[in-house]
Amino acid sequence: MSKNIIYIIVSIFFSSCIITNTPGFYSGYSKLTEQEKNNIVFTEPDFDICNLQNDGKIYAISGTQLKNCILKEQKSLVYFWDPYCHSQKCYSVDLMQKFCEKNGLALFVISEYYDSEKMKVDVLKLKQYPMFSINEKYYKTRYCNRYYTLFVKDLLSDQIYKKDDIYSSFFIFENGKLKSTSFQIQ
């Protein structure tokens, strides 16, 4: 009996190593080519990202840097984009861009992890700001769930929110204040 339990535990451990080496569990940065890595700019914590134009690069930022830009916008939407998400709550960058233009929202797209094939198509679609990613060097972890949580806590510092709001893909702000973590595309 105990040999079976040990076998099951060892099997789960080794199969999880295969699963955890995929983008979405880890950032995927280490799997990028040198040329792809050169397209990612890891910003310093005091670097002002608010005046960046979309130059085709991806800027790795902190939640505090994004919060500083949101304070300058009347209305904004932060969208955590997952390149391979297929749920009903995952929208294309194109659709989000159109929604924000129609509703007068500044759009901030934050890629949850790196996938160069999907990103190179969608990065250039953004009109107001470049695509951002979470600065794994700043948060000192390659683990997506960990750096995502730290990023959102920085983004929402000084805000009133529910515990479950941290796990949302959408954050709507008005005059720097969090208004909602959900919405309907119409």
Side-chain angles (χ1 to χ4, degrees):
M1 176 81 167
S2 65
K3 285 184 179 182
N4 288 339
I5 292 173
I6 292 172
Y7 175 76
I8 291 170
I9 291 171
V10 169
S11 296
I12 290 171
F13 175 76
F14 283 114
S15 67
S16 70
C17 289
I18 294 167
I19 293 170
T20 61
N21 200 21
T22 60
F25 191 81
Y26 286 105
S27 71
Y29 181 78
S30 63
K31 293 190 176 255
L32 298 176
T33 65
E34 284 307 311
Q35 183 178 1
E36 293 165 339
K37 286 179 181 178
N38 289 335
N39 201 38
I40 300 177
V41 178
F42 286 91
T43 63
E44 293 297 320
D46 59 347
F47 181 76
D48 182 6
I49 63 166
C50 302
N51 295 317
L52 290 174
Q53 301 292 313
N54 188 354
D55 58 3
K57 293 195 178 291
I58 298 154
Y59 290 85
I61 63 170
S62 72
T64 303
Q65 286 172 290
L66 182 58
K67 180 174 74 169
N68 291 336
C69 289
I70 288 169
L71 290 170
K72 296 177 182 180
E73 298 288 347
Q74 185 177 0
K75 295 183 346 183
S76 57
L77 185 142
V78 175
Y79 176 43
F80 286 91
W81 178 68
D82 177 343
Y84 285 102
C85 182
H86 300 291
S87 85
Q88 291 179 333
K89 292 202 172 205
C90 299
Y91 300 109
S92 70
V93 170
D94 252 350
L95 188 61
M96 294 304 294
Q97 184 81 35
K98 289 175 186 171
F99 174 82
C100 287
E101 286 173 356
K102 178 180 174 185
N103 292 286
L105 295 159
L107 174 62
F108 298 95
V109 177
I110 315 296
S111 180
E112 291 187 21
Y113 56 88
Y114 300 106
D115 181 281
S116 61
E117 289 302 310
K118 293 262 188 189
M119 292 175 104
K120 71 178 154 187
V121 172
D122 286 338
V123 165
L124 297 174
K125 293 179 181 177
L126 295 169
K127 296 177 184 171
Q128 186 174 359
Y129 290 102
M131 182 171 285
F132 296 109
S133 64
I134 298 172
N135 191 332
E136 66 185 71
K137 292 178 181 181
Y138 174 80
Y139 291 109
K140 296 178 175 65
T141 181
R142 299 178 320 125
Y143 179 52
C144 289
N145 190 42
R146 179 75 179 134
Y147 66 57
Y148 173 87
T149 302
L150 293 169
F151 183 95
V152 172
K153 284 182 178 181
D154 282 350
L155 176 65
L156 298 180
S157 67
D158 302 328
Q159 299 285 333
I160 297 171
Y161 61 91
K162 295 178 257 169
K163 185 178 176 182
D164 289 346
D165 287 346
I166 287 186
Y167 306 104
S168 180
S169 295
F170 310 100
F171 296 85
I172 297 175
F173 294 88
E174 224 174 277
N175 298 316
K177 297 289 182 203
L178 180 66
K179 291 297 177 186
S180 178
T181 57
S182 65
F183 71 99
Q184 291 288 333
I185 295 260
Q186 300 170 13

